């Protein structure tokens, strides 16, 4: 019977065939120990001379790491084995003897590994990270789907900037001139929210970031809910609920992966409601009191974020921002136009901003004023202005960076390891 490594413990005493790759080979005299990985786990196969036909035994001699193999044998309980089972092999088929594999089990430098990302994906930590990423994606979709949201995709080619003109990637678009890769699906799902009420888009976005920090990619995934009739407090509750659901899912489904990643689960267990909520003005005061410079109309850099969350076990929500440093679409407090009704969520443990969002400007005249003040191309936003002409309502939403979130869950030093093929300032290959 063909079985996954993951399912072997339920088949002790039976015979199983595992199809995979050789992770490691040790040979002691007349016995070979083959560690075989199949994507669901690693199992050790033991083969002694005489257990298999001589040519099969000889074929095991010095098989290079990552050779593709199909092994068959009896599933035996073995308390010392990871997963609690071993395979006593009676057949070993080498599908392909690999060429000498470039990635040894011991460590390599990051540049070497990134150049071999297509192979590095097979190693233990990338394997675990991609599995956590998958669970985070599932948790996000389940969270919104179970609350009556409709998933609506936003386009990737766009005619104008959503998040400022300094991080736009330009592409030639036939006779239409230049188009841009989207920085956020927000403007489009605002339109969809006026049709469906509660929506989210979830896809790749692009930022021509010249930064080389451990938190920036040029291509990353963002999930963006948008809710008609929602105000800032509604959006803050939604953001809090989403993060709690993601952490709970990772703890429930990824214990083994967290172990492989050497990620202590204890900090994730502490991600519960309610999250501390500070206005931007209160946050600045706290940061200053902790000896880090920050002016009243500054955004957070890494040192400010660290000072803000120092001693916090839960993410910190910063709301009511100086409108001067927030995007044109953000609603200003009607009672105090210097304040924008935005919210950022800053993760603990130094993982930084994972969510940005807030309430949208729903007033046509005020939105026009902002577009003119920022010298944005009004024609390109005409369709967006229509949303304020035809049945405008209060509404809001946010964007959660998938890779930042996976980085936080996995405790990964650099964001590049949270995406299968990272795109960064100096890296577009493989
Ligand atoms: O704060 P941002 O720029 O917000 C928006 O784009 C809004 N239009 C979203 C909305 O309201 N619908 O980006 C949202 C999140 C950030 O909090 C961060 O987690 C992530 O996207 N992010 C990045 N992740 C990786 N690399 C980058 N260069 C990122 N820039 C933002
Ligand atoms: Mg932001």
């Amino acid at each position: 019977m063909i079985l996954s490594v993951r399912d072997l413990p339920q088949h002790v005493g039976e015979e199983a065939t595992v199809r995979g790759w050789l992770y490691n080979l040790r040979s002691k005299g007349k016995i070979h120990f083959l560690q075989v990985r199949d994507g669901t786990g690693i199992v050790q196969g033991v083969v002694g001379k005489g257990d298999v036909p001589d040519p099969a035994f000889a074929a095991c001699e010095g098989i290079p790491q990552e050779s593709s193999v199909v092994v068959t044998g009896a599933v035996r309980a073995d308390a010392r084995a990871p997963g609690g089972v071993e395979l006593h092999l009676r057949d070993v088929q080498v599908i392909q003897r690999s060429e000498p594999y470039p990635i040894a089990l011991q460590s390599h430098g990051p540049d070497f590994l990134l150049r071999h990302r297509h192979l590095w994906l097979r190693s233990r930590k990338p394997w675990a990270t991609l599995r956590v990423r998958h669970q985070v994606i599932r948790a996000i979709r389940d969270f919104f789907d179970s609350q009556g949201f409709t998933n609506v995709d936003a386009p990737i080619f766009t005619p104008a900037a959503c998040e400022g003109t300094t991080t736009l990637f330009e592409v030639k678009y036939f006779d239409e001139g230049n188009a841009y890769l989207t920085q956020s699906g927000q403007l489009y799902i605002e339109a969809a929210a006026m049709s469906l009420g509660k929506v989210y888009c979830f896809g790749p976005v692009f930022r021509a970031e010249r930064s080389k920090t451990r938190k920036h990619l040029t291509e990353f995934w963002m999930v963006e809910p948008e809710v008609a009739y929602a105000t800032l407090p509604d959006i803050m509750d939604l953001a809090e609920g989403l993060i709690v659901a993601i952490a709970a899912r990772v703890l429930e489904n990824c214990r083994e992966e967290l172990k492989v990643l050497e990620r202590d689960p204890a900090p994730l267990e502490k991600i519960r409601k309610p999250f501390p909520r500070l206005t931007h003005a209160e946050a600045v005061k706290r940061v200053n009191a902790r000896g880090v410079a920050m002016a009243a109309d500054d955004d957070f850099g890494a040192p400010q974020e660290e000072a803000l969350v120092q001693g916090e076990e839960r993410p910190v929500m910063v709301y009511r921002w100086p409108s001067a440093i927030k995007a044109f679409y953000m609603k200003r407090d009607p009672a105090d136009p210097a304040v924008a009704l935005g919210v950022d969520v800053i993760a603990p443990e130094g993982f930084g901003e994972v969510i940005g969002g807030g309430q949208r400007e729903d007033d046509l005249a005020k939105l026009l004023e902002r577009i003119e003040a920022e010298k944005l191309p009004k024609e390109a936003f005409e369709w967006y202005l229509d949303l304020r002409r035809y049945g405008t309502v209060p509404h809001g939403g946010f964007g959660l960076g998938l890779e930042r979130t996976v980085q936080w869950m996995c405790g990964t030093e650099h964001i590049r390891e949270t995406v299968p093929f990272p795109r960064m300032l100096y890296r577009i290959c493989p």
Side-chain angles (χ1 to χ4, degrees):
M1 188 175 20
I2 294 167
L3 286 176
S4 296
V5 170
R6 176 148 303 225
D7 297 332
L8 292 176
Q10 282 99 59
H11 295 271
V12 171
E14 297 171 35
E15 186 172 276
T17 294
V18 169
R19 305 186 293 186
W21 296 263
L22 185 75
Y23 181 68
N24 198 14
L25 172 75
R26 284 184 305 119
S27 298
K28 258 198 218 150
K30 296 196 158 53
I31 308 183
H32 299 305
F33 300 92
L34 288 77
Q35 287 191 319
V36 177
R37 54 163 203 90
D38 75 339
T40 70
I42 297 180
V43 66
Q44 174 156 282
V46 182
V47 56
K49 196 165 165 59
D51 294 348
V52 296
D54 280 349
F57 189 82
C60 294
E61 211 79 52
I63 328 178
Q65 187 190 341
E66 288 306 320
S67 294
S68 35
V69 292
V70 175
V71 297
T72 300
V75 183
R76 299 267 169 83
D78 183 328
R80 291 159 308 170
V85 293
E86 269 192 353
L87 283 177
H88 285 241
L89 301 180
R90 67 158 181 81
D91 189 30
V92 177
Q93 290 174 46
V94 178
I95 304 302
Q96 189 237 348
R97 263 182 102 89
S98 171
E99 294 181 21
Y101 192 62
I103 302 180
L105 293 181
Q106 63 271 28
S107 59
H108 294 275
D111 180 61
F112 178 89
L113 289 172
L114 286 164
R115 275 190 285 117
H116 292 85
R117 183 63 173 170
H118 52 294
L119 301 176
W120 185 27
L121 290 181
R122 306 180 190 192
S123 298
R124 292 292 278 157
K125 285 191 177 177
W127 171 87
T129 307
L130 291 182
R131 287 177 61 94
V132 172
R133 180 184 167 102
H134 173 66
Q135 292 297 329
V136 171
I137 292 170
R138 282 187 56 200
I140 290 169
R141 291 198 180 278
D142 287 349
F143 177 82
F144 289 119
D145 295 351
S146 69
Q147 296 185 40
F149 281 73
T150 301
N151 183 194
V152 175
D153 300 314
I156 285 174
F157 286 133
T158 61
C162 174
E163 293 298 321
T165 49
T166 55
T167 62
L168 275 178
F169 278 112
E170 250 179 44
V171 283
K172 283 209 176 62
Y173 200 80
F174 306 114
D175 300 332
E176 299 291 309
N178 285 336
Y180 307 97
L181 299 184
T182 188
Q183 299 164 306
S184 156
Q186 180 196 319
L187 306 186
Y188 292 94
I189 54 157
E190 282 186 51
M194 300 306 133
S195 164
L196 295 145
K198 299 203 271 185
V199 297
Y200 67 96
C201 62
F202 197 178
V205 295
F206 306 85
R207 303 268 169 107
E209 304 260 16
R210 294 212 152 259
S211 42
K212 287 194 288 180
T213 79
R214 63 187 192 90
K215 294 176 191 154
H216 287 90
L217 295 164
T218 57
E219 175 180 327
F220 61 98
W221 279 58
M222 209 196 283
V223 61
E224 300 182 77
E226 191 71 28
V227 182
Y229 287 100
T231 56
L232 179 61
D234 302 323
I235 292 309
M236 292 171 73
D237 292 345
L238 190 68
E240 189 179 58
L242 175 63
I243 289 177
V244 168
I246 292 171
R249 178 71 69 98
V250 169
L251 288 166
E252 191 184 321
N253 290 355
C254 304
R255 291 283 171 173
E256 186 194 335
E257 289 79 3
L258 296 182
K259 223 176 270 167
V260 170
L261 294 165
E262 299 166 72
R263 168 50 153 155
D264 179 2
L268 301 182
E269 277 153 7
K270 294 180 178 137
I271 304 174
R272 302 244 173 81
K273 290 180 198 179
F275 297 171
R277 299 178 178 203
L278 275 71
T279 64
H280 182 272
E282 290 165 346
V284 170
K285 251 188 227 147
R286 177 192 278 196
V287 169
N288 287 335
R290 291 176 174 176
V292 178
M294 183 172 188
D297 58 353
D298 273 352
D299 202 348
F300 291 80
Q304 288 78 19
E305 284 176 350
E306 262 157 52
L308 177 74
V309 301
Q310 188 190 312
E312 296 284 359
E313 290 178 334
R314 301 177 185 191
V316 175
M317 307 181 101
V318 179
Y319 67 110
R320 293 182 65 81
W321 285 67
S323 43
I325 57 169
K326 283 294 186 190
F328 76 95
Y329 53 69
M330 209 168 268
K331 186 170 181 64
R332 293 178 170 204
D333 181 352
D336 181 3
V339 170
L341 300 179
V343 59
D344 275 14
V345 182
I346 317 294
E349 301 181 86
F351 291 102
E353 180 198 326
V354 287
I355 282 182
Q359 199 174 326
R360 320 306 187 191
E361 185 52 78
D362 49 332
D363 181 277
L364 177 63
K366 288 188 182 137
L367 190 56
L368 258 172
E369 210 177 282
R370 303 287 304 135
I371 287 176
E372 275 156 16
E374 300 202 11
K375 299 198 171 60
L376 297 170
K378 192 174 152 235
E379 324 72 62
F381 288 105
E382 273 305 330
W383 68 268
Y384 184 65
L385 291 166
D386 270 355
L387 307 179
R388 278 71 180 167
R389 292 188 181 107
Y390 305 107
T392 189
V393 296
H395 64 288
F398 61 79
L400 170 131
L402 175 65
E403 288 77 12
R404 292 255 179 105
T405 306
V406 174
Q407 184 183 11
W408 173 24
M409 294 297 122
C410 293
T412 309
E413 176 62 25
H414 200 296
I415 195 168
R416 64 192 169 206
E417 290 177 36
T418 64
V419 61
F421 292 95
R423 298 291 175 247
M424 295 178 290
L425 184 51
Y426 294 115
R427 193 170 302 280
I428 194 167
C429 224

